[in-house]
Amino acid sequence: LIPGYISEAAALLDQNEDSAWVAPKTLFFSTTAIPAWGVPFSFKHALIEPPAVRPSLFRRNAWTSIDKNSLKSEDFESWELWIAFAEQGWTGLHLKKFGVIRNIAHEEALQTVKKKALHNIVSNHPWWFRLSNSTVEINEDAVYLYEQAESKKKKAQAVDTIKENHSSQKQEHGKMRLVR
């Protein structure tokens, strides 16, 4: 952690009561230095990339508001956690300055873990996706309904509606490929 990260993240959370977490801008070192995260939260983008890294700071009341039974401890960058927060209507924030520096020793293994995590996101949150010709695509209608909700409460209600609509529709199963 970079000095000052926690105090800056806590101050940013104090200013934004509908935000569950603050993600630090993160610098990854592997064969090259790659800046990542530290971008404004987008729910649609969060469905294909984790919106934050594990050392993000989050609110205790956001943690108590979610169903922890679906969270997996081996999840890539706590991806399930960020989706669970968003499904409760919470949003995320980011720091513009670097807050974390991480060394990635095994990039290929990391990509394998990420692919498995993406499969879990699609399996555990099927209402955000649709199957088209054996390809998984983001359910644009569901994401639009979510993003049009103007408050935390309305976003959570939109998620309930999206889940109800999904459960009333029959989904095909089989091999799938996610298209961005």
Side-chain angles (χ1 to χ4, degrees), residues 112-163:
T112 300
V113 171
K114 181 180 174 183
K115 285 178 185 177
K116 182 179 176 186
L118 178 58
H119 175 77
N120 289 338
I121 293 294
V122 172
S123 297
N124 296 339
H125 305 272
W127 42 88
W128 299 117
F129 303 92
R130 64 169 48 116
L131 186 61
S132 173
N133 299 322
S134 298
T135 301
V136 177
E137 300 173 341
I138 290 179
N139 181 343
E140 298 285 345
D141 295 334
V143 171
Y144 179 79
L145 181 64
Y146 174 87
E147 290 180 341
Q148 292 306 301
E150 296 177 2
S151 68
K152 182 176 161 286
K153 182 179 178 180
K154 288 182 180 182
K155 285 185 185 303
Q157 290 169 338
V159 171
D160 290 341
T161 301
I162 292 163
K163 287 180 180 181

Side-chain angles (χ1 to χ4, degrees), residues 57-95:
L57 189 69
F58 60 87
R59 293 181 187 279
R60 184 174 196 279
N61 63 335
W63 174 254
T64 59
S65 74
I66 61 172
D67 174 17
K68 290 164 229 27
N69 292 327
S70 66
L71 301 179
K72 301 190 179 13
S73 61
E74 297 299 317
D75 188 24
F76 178 73
E77 296 297 356
S78 302
W79 203 343
E80 289 278 353
L81 176 64
W82 314 124
I83 298 292
F85 283 154
E87 288 183 340
Q88 290 295 313
W90 295 99
T91 62
L93 300 168
H94 70 285
L95 290 179

